[in-house]
Amino acid sequence: MSKKRIYPLEVKLEAIKLREEGFSIKEIQKLLNIKSESQIGI
């Protein structure tokens, strides 16, 4: 049984900022400790 992970607003905004700066999805996952690519639907 899995639990849905909800990330704080600060993490979401940081992911958007990093993506706009040209970081790849994989790099953002590592930096922000996000488990799934689908959670970075930017």
Side-chain angles (χ1 to χ4, degrees), residues 7 11-12 14-42:
Y7 293 96
V11 173
K12 294 177 185 182
E14 185 66 21
I16 292 168
K17 181 180 160 194
L18 291 171
R19 191 68 178 133
E20 288 176 346
E21 291 176 5
F23 283 81
S24 73
I25 299 290
K26 292 284 187 190
E27 290 171 321
I28 295 171
Q29 278 182 264
K30 282 185 179 179
L31 288 170
L32 301 178
N33 197 26
I34 298 173
K35 293 187 183 229
S36 173
E37 284 185 32
S38 65
Q39 294 173 317
I40 309 175
I42 305 172

